[in-house]
Amino acid sequence: MTRPVGHPALRIEGLYKAFERTEVLRGVDLTVEEHEVVCLIGASGSGKSTLLRCLNLLEPIDAGRIYLGSDELTAPGADINRVRRRVGMVFQAFNLFPHMSVLDNVTLAPRKVLKTPRGQAEADAAALLDRFGLADKRSEYPDRLSGGQQQRVAIVRALAMRPDLLLLDEVTSALDPELVAEVLALVRELAAGGMTMLIATHEMGFARDIANRVCFLDGGVILEQGPPDAIFRAPREARTRQFLDRIIQAGRL
Amino acid sequence: MLGGADPARRRRADDPSSGRPEARHRPARRPGVLRSTLIAAASTVLVFGAIGWFLVNAPGWARVQASFFNGEVFARSFPAIAGSFWVNVQLFLVAEVLILLLGLLVAVLRSLPGPVFFPLRFLSTVYVDVFRALPGVLVIYILGFGIPGLGIVGVPVEPFLYAVVALTLIYSAYVSEVYRSGIDSVHPSQSAAARSLGLSHWQTLRFVVIPQAVRRVIPPLLNDFIGLQKDTVLVSYIGVVEIFRQSYIKQAGSFNFTPYMATALVFIIVTIPLARLTDWLISRDRRRQAGGGVR
């Protein structure tokens, strides 16, 4: 909001990443505007998760530049912890802290990183949990919640840091089918509220509904991108068509 | 915590009224339990009876009985021996606290990432390797006689102090490995989640990794403390008059080994509850995991 006009929320230029000898990302360029929801689609192993993990520097990158607003994350000497405060991340397997109550899960980072006083942090967390229908789960431990509830708590935990950008890494892939809807509904609500999001997903129907733009990741590059209608109805690239055909055959679109 | 909500146990308790097919087999189970209890009791009596009979009928039994199981010597030496045990207890308590702290510190140092911390990682690795390699008695000897022997002004000569230092150094090496296995057992995704929230490496260790690691290693830690409890007798070699030294003194005074049996009895009385506690904690952990996260 205080960002100078003209800077996208996220800009990636020529991102390369290899594990050992395997090149996972081979020159990814991507821009996400403020309040934009961008979905990454592509086969398993196409580098969607790696791309997201590179964006908050959970994975060191080999080459390229990443800008968050006007700040370059990849600049030498950039404060990694400061960067991560501004980028929220939600994982496929929730990764809640099992030894802490829901409330402590949500308030840990605000208290320890932002130095918000406990009372304030707890009030903020309670308000967020309330908003997403988790008010009565405050003092529960993660193991006692359903997968859908756990993932909603994980999203709330990321939101508690008031991130500029939210990265969602296949957040429904570990859930039973009947629990997927509650998580997707939450993400829709965030999108409607103007949250800037980059979402790796296998839920093509969801991507078509929610995304402003869909990017098809293949062979370590963004092979094709555009509005969901264009990508899903009339993909230009043969690889994209192939991928979507397989998805349709599997009955997931 | 919440009314002992162990799902497995609850399910079992519900069984008779549930009318499910398994419930019909239940009446057959009680005689089964009784029968196996009886068999266990009978075989125990038989085995121990046989061992006892064998010992008592050994050619030298009368001599052994007189020198190891002399009631009069026992009654005379027991108060002093039990009194000296207080020294072992003090040693144990002081050393245990220090071991828990030093062991954790070493484990954390060994897990530090990055080239900058290489010297610290290297030093802590060398420490663990050396002190696990050395027999404990040697460490106690070298420290207890060596350091006061240097004759440096101001260096204390209290053997108790060196006993604490030696036990702490020996056991911290083992305990740091226990902690380290606990730290390694916390899935990397936990650190990833903490770091992605902006927590620093230290904050991640302090609030996310170590609390989970410590919970997991409590049973093996207790196991090490059973060892420590017994190894407190080793410091008798540098002149601390603790239970073992005391029983040696009593033995030398009476030419009878019964004081050693009294010492053995004291250790059995003290150690067995700790061993049971450890087993109980281990099985409780197992139940928790099986029961799907009861806290």
Side-chain angles (χ1 to χ4, degrees):
Chain A
M1 282 148 263
T2 55
R3 209 175 293 128
V5 188
H7 284 291
L10 173 74
R11 192 165 95 244
I12 307 167
E13 293 175 355
L15 180 60
Y16 281 80
K17 170 71 190 174
F19 292 106
E20 306 290 326
R21 292 254 174 89
T22 320
E23 284 193 312
V24 181
L25 301 176
R26 297 185 304 152
V28 171
D29 297 297
L30 178 67
T31 302
V32 180
E33 300 294 337
E34 232 177 287
H35 309 304
E36 197 182 16
V37 175
V38 174
C39 282
L40 295 170
I41 62 170
S44 298
S46 58
K48 303 187 295 288
S49 293
T50 306
L51 176 57
L52 293 186
R53 290 173 68 89
C54 285
L55 296 183
N56 67 359
L57 307 177
L58 281 178
E59 297 290 349
I61 67 169
D62 297 330
R65 289 163 185 266
I66 303 169
Y67 297 89
L68 199 59
S70 57
D71 303 326
E72 186 188 341
L73 317 187
T74 43
D79 182 347
I80 295 181
N81 294 329
R82 191 173 270 295
V83 169
R84 289 186 178 133
R85 286 178 212 178
R86 296 170 50 190
V87 182
M89 175 118 181
V90 184
F91 300 85
Q92 180 175 344
F94 332 136
N95 300 9
L96 291 175
F97 307 131
H99 60 300
M100 292 182 188
S101 68
V102 164
L103 192 65
D104 288 342
N105 261 280
V106 177
T107 57
L108 178 71
R111 279 170 47 216
K112 302 302 173 189
V113 178
L114 304 178
K115 310 290 177 202
T116 312
R118 181 187 273 271
Q120 180 65 43
E122 289 187 347
D124 293 349
L128 273 176
L129 289 169
D130 247 5
R131 194 174 127 202
F132 297 112
L134 294 159
D136 55 331
K137 304 297 178 197
R138 243 175 262 189
S139 49
E140 288 286 15
Y141 282 87
D143 290 354
R144 295 183 154 259
L145 304 180
S146 73
Q149 290 166 340
Q150 288 190 47
Q151 193 57 295
R152 280 149 63 204
V153 170
I155 294 172
V156 167
R157 181 174 69 175
L159 290 176
M161 292 296 284
R162 303 178 192 282
D164 297 334
L165 169 69
L166 199 57
L167 309 173
L168 304 184
D169 186 6
E170 295 181 17
V171 292
T172 57
S173 297
L175 296 176
D176 292 337
E178 76 268 23
L179 301 175
V180 169
E182 59 184 270
V183 171
L184 293 186
L186 200 168
V187 178
R188 278 202 182 88
E189 198 181 325
L190 293 179
M195 174 62 76
T196 312
M197 287 187 280
L198 184 56
I199 304 174
T201 185
H202 285 301
E203 302 282 340
M204 298 302 151
F206 171 71
R208 192 163 55 183
D209 278 4
I210 195 178
N212 302 113
R213 188 148 47 95
V214 174
C215 300
F216 175 61
L217 203 60
D218 186 69
V221 295
I222 292 176
L223 193 63
E224 181 167 3
Q225 57 176 304
D229 272 352
I231 298 285
F232 289 114
R233 294 230 176 97
R236 275 173 290 117
E237 300 287 335
R239 297 279 304 155
T240 318
R241 275 198 296 276
Q242 219 173 31
F243 171 73
L244 291 173
D245 281 348
R246 272 207 303 268
I247 297 280
I248 289 164
Q249 274 165 25
R252 299 194 61 168
L253 185 63
Chain B
M1 188 174 79
L2 292 166
D6 180 346
R9 195 181 301 160
R10 211 186 312 135
R11 214 173 302 124
R12 249 176 276 132
D14 286 344
D15 255 350
S17 56
S18 68
R20 275 179 289 170
E22 312 84 278
R24 257 177 283 144
H25 295 296
R26 263 188 80 86
R29 221 182 279 164
R30 276 198 89 60
V33 170
L34 185 66
R35 197 162 144 250
S36 47
T37 310
L38 282 176
I39 291 174
S43 81
T44 307
V45 167
L46 209 70
V47 168
F48 284 91
I51 293 172
W53 183 87
F54 185 75
L55 285 178
V56 171
N57 286 287
W61 170 248
R63 229 173 34 243
V64 168
Q65 191 186 22
S67 52
F68 280 89
F69 300 98
N70 185 320
E72 191 200 328
V73 175
F74 183 90
R76 208 156 7 97
S77 60
F78 192 79
I81 284 172
S84 299
F85 187 63
W86 175 233
V87 177
N88 295 71
V89 171
Q90 284 172 306
L91 256 174
F92 173 78
L93 291 177
V94 177
E96 177 176 316
V97 172
L98 295 175
I99 289 163
L100 283 172
L101 295 175
L102 182 62
L104 184 58
L105 179 70
V106 172
V108 167
L109 291 182
R110 282 191 81 171
S111 70
L112 285 179
V116 185
F117 294 110
F118 177 77
L120 284 176
R121 275 201 305 272
F122 179 74
L123 268 181
S124 47
T125 306
V126 168
Y127 159 72
V128 171
D129 284 356
V130 167
F131 278 86
R132 283 199 305 173
L134 287 173
V137 184
L138 278 184
V139 175
I140 291 166
Y141 259 127
I142 293 167
L143 283 177
F145 291 136
I147 292 182
L150 292 172
I152 299 167
V153 180
V155 168
V157 290
E158 279 297 311
F160 184 86
L161 185 82
Y162 291 101
V164 168
V165 171
L167 287 174
T168 303
L169 287 175
I170 297 162
Y171 270 87
S172 297
Y174 287 99
V175 166
S176 80
E177 286 298 279
V178 173
Y179 275 129
R180 200 162 67 104
S181 70
I183 288 172
D184 287 349
S185 78
V186 177
H187 197 272
S189 63
Q190 288 286 305
S191 298
R195 297 309 299 274
S196 74
L197 285 166
L199 270 74
S200 67
H201 180 79
W202 285 112
Q203 287 174 321
T204 300
L205 269 179
R206 162 79 182 76
F207 298 112
V208 175
V209 176
I210 290 175
Q212 295 184 57
V214 167
R215 257 160 250 228
R216 287 179 203 181
V217 298
I218 286 173
L221 278 182
L222 280 173
N223 205 31
D224 273 346
F225 286 137
I226 291 172
L228 172 65
Q229 211 170 48
K230 293 183 300 176
D231 277 357
T232 53
V233 302
L234 295 178
V235 307
S236 63
Y237 287 114
I238 56 170
V240 179
V241 182
E242 44 66 73
I243 188 166
F244 184 61
R245 192 80 183 164
Q246 188 64 257
S247 53
Y248 171 76
I249 293 168
K250 294 292 172 200
Q251 181 267 131
S254 63
F255 300 106
N256 190 294
F257 293 106
T258 304
Y260 288 139
M261 301 310 284
T263 298
L265 186 67
V266 170
F267 274 101
I268 287 170
I269 290 169
V270 174
T271 305
I272 285 181
L274 193 53
R276 290 296 105 228
L277 175 69
T278 308
D279 279 3
W280 179 76
L281 283 174
I282 291 170
S283 66
R284 191 190 61 172
D285 268 18
R286 221 172 264 151
R287 273 205 308 278
R288 266 185 192 175
Q289 274 162 22
V294 179
R295 263 152 219 286

